[in-house]
Amino acid sequence: MEFITHLIKLSGGLPIIMALLLLVAVAVIFDRLWFYYRVLGAGGRVEESLKALGYRDVRGLKALGEDYSHTLQGRLILQAVASKAETPDALSQHLDEEVLWSMPRLDQYLWLLDTAATLGPLLGLFGTIIGMIDTFNVLGSSGAAVKATGGIADALVSTGMGLFIAIISVLFLNLLNKRLRLAMHQLDLIRLLLINRLHGEGVKAHGEAGAEHFETRSALGAHLGLGDTRKAEGV
């Protein structure tokens, strides 16, 4: 305890500010990790449910949106149903508006981690400079070399604290930025799924498409007089 008090006095009280900065960074890390865990989990379930819905199934979309109304993805679905847009472009604009409204929640508090990563080393360096000034003031007294050496070592603790804060903040800031990009990708994918489900014509089954292709090819061959040629070749 005495050593901690000594470090605080030596660095002009900056270790207290740095400890609070680290506490804020850790709180943001846990809050955002839990937030993105819930957002990405809900987004994955919504994607699978949307793929299982049929085209123009407005009732199914509304039910799905109400089930996930507490999530960003659920509100996006409800916005698509409520917009009643007559064209895909109009629906896309309505959904883009909802996505932009969701952006502040997705990157909330991340600026605090960015600030901690930048401010931590600066505070540590400033505290070290204050400690070095006090250390050099004792050079004129007896036993100055020993006192100066110990004072320099203690002053460097502030730099170490600042670097520790920066390392933790940068690591988790990169991780959370990756989660942010994944969440934005999910919202964009859900937006496209909603446009296709509400304004798409659906996709024909593979067997139907193959039969239609074969019939078209046979009609074209008959028109060109290639039917006998195909029989001769065994086609």
Side-chain angles (χ1 to χ4, degrees):
M1 188 65 183
E2 293 181 359
F3 178 68
I4 295 176
T5 304
H6 169 69
L7 288 178
I8 293 174
K9 291 181 179 179
L10 184 64
S11 302
L14 288 177
I16 296 178
I17 300 176
M18 296 169 66
L20 292 175
L21 186 63
L22 178 61
L23 181 62
V24 170
V26 171
V28 170
I29 288 169
F30 279 103
D31 176 78
R32 293 293 89 186
L33 285 176
W34 175 243
F35 174 78
Y36 286 123
Y37 171 78
R38 291 185 290 116
V39 168
L40 294 176
R45 294 189 295 272
V46 169
E47 287 175 2
E48 295 299 324
S49 299
L50 279 175
K51 287 191 293 185
L53 285 178
Y55 288 79
R56 310 297 178 91
D57 187 1
V58 179
R59 184 177 299 178
L61 286 175
K62 186 176 181 181
L64 180 62
E66 291 175 349
D67 290 340
Y68 290 91
S69 60
H70 60 285
T71 66
L72 300 177
Q73 296 85 354
R75 285 192 288 274
L76 190 63
I77 296 174
L78 293 178
Q79 174 67 19
V81 175
S83 68
K84 298 180 180 179
E86 296 182 357
T87 63
D89 291 338
L91 178 59
S92 178
Q93 291 180 0
H94 292 165
L95 296 180
D96 286 342
E97 178 183 351
E98 184 65 28
V99 170
L100 290 177
W101 278 111
S102 303
M103 274 299 297
R105 290 193 60 193
L106 289 176
D107 64 356
Q108 193 175 22
Y109 305 133
L110 291 184
W111 68 272
L112 289 173
L113 273 186
D114 196 5
T115 301
T118 304
L119 193 59
L122 295 178
L123 288 175
L125 182 59
F126 189 36
T128 297
I129 291 174
I130 295 175
M132 295 287 284
I133 292 174
D134 292 338
T135 299
F136 286 132
N137 288 333
V138 303
L139 287 175
S141 60
S142 58
V146 177
K147 291 181 180 179
T149 302
I152 292 172
D154 293 343
L156 288 175
V157 173
S158 295
T159 301
M161 290 179 61
L163 291 175
F164 176 76
I165 294 173
I167 291 171
I168 296 297
S169 299
V170 168
L171 284 175
F172 282 97
L173 181 61
N174 290 333
L175 176 64
L176 293 174
N177 279 330
K178 175 65 175 179
R179 295 290 185 270
L180 172 61
R181 290 192 294 271
L182 288 175
M184 289 301 301
H185 173 74
Q186 274 191 351
L187 289 177
D188 195 40
L189 177 59
I190 291 173
R191 183 182 65 86
L192 291 176
L193 285 171
L194 289 172
I195 294 174
N196 289 335
R197 291 303 180 276
L198 289 174
H199 290 280
E201 298 298 334
V203 180
K204 293 184 177 180
H206 179 72
E208 296 177 0
E212 181 180 352
H213 175 72
F214 179 77
E215 291 175 359
T216 304
R217 182 180 174 185
S218 299
L220 179 61
H223 178 70
L224 296 177
L226 298 179
D228 296 336
T229 306
R230 284 199 303 274
K231 292 180 181 179
E233 293 176 351
V235 178

